[in-house]
Amino acid sequence: MNIATIGVEEWLNVHEKSATVDIAQSTIASLTMDEILRLDGTDGAGFYEQLGREKMNYGWIEGSPEFKDEVAGLYENVEPDNILQTNGATGANLLALMTLVEPGDHVIAEYPTYQPLYEIPRTLGAEVEYWHIREDLGWQPDIAELERLVRPDTKLICINNASNPLGTVLPRETLEQIVEIARSVGAYVLSDEVYLPLEDTERFVSMADLYDRAVVTNSISKTYSVPAARIGWTVSNAEVADRIRTYRDYTLICGGIFNDALAVHVLRNRARILERNRSIVLGNRAIAQAWVDSEPRVRWVAPKGVSTSYIQFDIPMDDEAFCLKLLRERGVLLVPGGRFELPCGARLGYCAPEQTLREGLARLSEALREFD
């Protein structure tokens, strides 16, 4: 198998440990273990007491019943049996695509977005066509283009809702139109939903609650601030879940006793996490918006209550060269837009701790002044 490197992951693997000010990540400021244990008011006593009784064997292969019940509670119409624990959303996407895509299949992928959603189908031998997001539509795709792209033999439509790195969210009306188009040809829809909007939450709907042939992927890494657990999941109908089970046996086996318990604890106390994270998202976005408004060489489409965003630069320099110079001279880490096949700019992880964000933006302004 010859697969392209994931641009953003390659960049972070090489550069993130050398940064002194990291404003590139798309997680909402990661929780410490102490903060996680304090969520239920016991300072970890209950968590560790339960964990101390567990044998350190493989545990529940697909995820514990408690884990499945907590995940099912995130949706309106999902059966716990059809939830499968994975190695983060990255593992969930890989399993879903390996299950659904065969050589010669026709796949439509939202583009540009998180690279595996179109690169994995291509590597599996599919014909991949891009459904373009458009800056003139506020980084939304045009539903009329999807109608033109879909064919009687279309196997799969891949979407990223909310978008990484743009932070835009597909409204319910658009999702319902996608379902109508997919249903007309019997296509599946893979929806990566790892970024949950933390504003206008009543307007957000999961594709899992709209379409029986949807496969939804998610994790506790981004919205719930615990990427260290490496726990994600797939949600699908029973037939697809049975097929995913086969691929899990080749790639994962299980998530592990400790990680499962940690994920259950996080999801069981998600209301407190979401309250904390909503404050970070809205407060830091206001800081970033004020900075964008003051920077003549920067513009953005403000993210819709999620932790990832994209800023565009008006500079006479390639964005990768600029980001390397910024890191080398000022210790600030961004992910250049070229790593997402986007126009000159960078992914801004504006949900870093507030002081980190303020310091990073101040140093970025210094770098941009050199072009004046």
Side-chain angles (χ1 to χ4, degrees):
M1 180 183 292
N2 184 17
I3 191 168
T5 59
I6 302 174
V8 57
E9 302 301 342
E10 181 184 44
W11 175 269
L12 292 174
N13 288 344
V14 173
H15 298 298
E16 67 181 334
K17 295 306 182 184
S18 62
T20 56
V21 182
D22 186 347
I23 52 172
Q25 308 299 332
S26 59
T27 293
I28 303 173
S30 296
L31 290 159
T32 67
M33 193 65 191
D34 283 346
E35 289 173 321
I36 293 168
L37 294 175
R38 286 197 296 267
L39 289 170
D40 65 356
T42 71
D43 288 332
F47 176 82
Y48 280 120
E49 181 181 350
Q50 177 184 344
L51 197 62
R53 295 192 296 268
E54 297 283 352
K55 289 185 179 296
M56 290 295 108
N57 55 23
Y58 286 100
W60 294 91
I61 298 301
E62 298 182 359
S64 66
E66 294 80 8
F67 172 79
K68 292 192 173 199
D69 285 344
E70 291 298 332
V71 172
L74 303 176
Y75 306 92
E76 296 176 5
N77 303 300
V78 168
E79 292 295 327
D81 283 350
N82 297 337
I83 295 165
L84 299 174
Q85 193 175 89
T86 65
N87 179 27
T90 300
N93 286 326
L94 176 64
L95 288 168
L97 290 164
M98 291 173 65
T99 298
L100 296 176
V101 177
E102 298 177 356
D105 282 345
H106 181 240
V107 174
I108 299 170
E110 183 183 347
Y111 174 88
T113 187
Y114 186 52
Q115 189 176 338
L117 295 179
Y118 53 86
E119 205 63 68
I120 293 174
R122 181 184 292 119
T123 302
L124 292 171
E127 176 191 354
V128 178
E129 291 195 84
Y130 292 150
W131 182 27
H132 295 87
I133 56 173
R134 292 171 44 182
E135 185 180 3
D136 64 322
L137 296 178
W139 292 125
Q140 293 281 336
D142 183 354
I143 200 71
E145 183 183 6
L146 179 61
E147 292 173 331
R148 292 192 297 269
L149 289 171
V150 77
R151 306 185 326 209
D153 64 340
T154 298
K155 180 73 167 294
L156 175 66
I157 300 169
C158 297
I159 62 174
N160 186 201
N161 194 30
S163 170
N164 178 20
L166 295 160
T168 51
V169 178
L170 297 172
R172 183 184 185 118
E173 297 76 15
T174 299
L175 296 178
E176 290 173 343
Q177 290 172 310
I178 294 170
V179 168
E180 182 179 350
I181 292 168
R183 185 177 285 126
S184 71
V185 296
Y188 292 96
V189 176
L190 172 59
S191 183
D192 180 333
E193 297 177 0
V194 75
Y195 301 99
L196 174 70
L198 296 183
E199 64 178 348
D200 298 330
T201 54
E202 69 282 353
R203 299 180 60 190
F204 178 81
V205 61
S206 171
M207 185 60 77
D209 292 320
L210 293 178
Y211 188 37
D212 181 63
R213 292 173 75 83
V215 181
V216 166
T217 59
N218 206 333
S219 81
I220 64 170
S221 296
K222 307 297 185 180
T223 303
Y224 302 100
S225 301
V226 191
R230 303 312 306 133
I231 292 293
W233 59 88
T234 59
V235 173
S236 66
N237 63 33
E239 182 267 332
V240 171
D242 276 342
R243 291 165 58 194
I244 292 175
R245 285 181 171 96
T246 299
Y247 289 96
R248 282 186 81 262
D249 290 342
Y250 280 94
T251 58
L252 178 64
I253 303 297
C254 67
I257 293 286
F258 184 90
N259 288 349
D260 181 278
L262 182 57
V264 170
H265 183 78
V266 166
L267 291 172
R268 190 169 283 162
N269 294 282
R270 61 184 175 271
R272 291 183 178 88
I273 294 174
L274 295 180
E275 180 181 10
R276 172 231 193 218
N277 286 358
R278 186 174 293 107
S279 176
I280 292 172
V281 167
L282 299 182
N284 282 21
R285 188 181 62 184
I287 293 168
Q289 183 65 67
W291 177 81
V292 170
D293 291 343
S294 71
E295 276 297 338
R297 292 188 178 275
V298 176
R299 70 180 190 274
W300 75 346
V301 174
K304 303 300 182 183
V306 299
S307 58
T308 184
S309 68
Y310 191 72
I311 53 176
Q312 287 182 256
F313 297 136
D314 178 14
I315 57 175
M317 190 176 191
D318 170 79
D319 55 19
E320 183 144 339
F322 175 70
C323 288
L324 282 171
K325 186 172 184 289
L326 181 69
L327 178 61
R328 184 175 61 252
E329 296 180 358
R330 292 181 168 83
V332 177
L333 183 67
L334 294 169
V335 180
R339 294 288 171 149
F340 294 95
E341 302 183 61
L342 283 164
C344 185
R347 184 172 78 179
L348 172 66
Y350 75 100
C351 289
E354 180 180 332
Q355 186 54 42
T356 300
L357 175 64
R358 289 185 182 277
E359 181 64 25
L361 294 179
R363 296 188 191 188
L364 178 54
S365 287
E366 292 173 1
L368 292 169
R369 292 290 72 75
E370 294 182 0
F371 298 112
D372 292 345

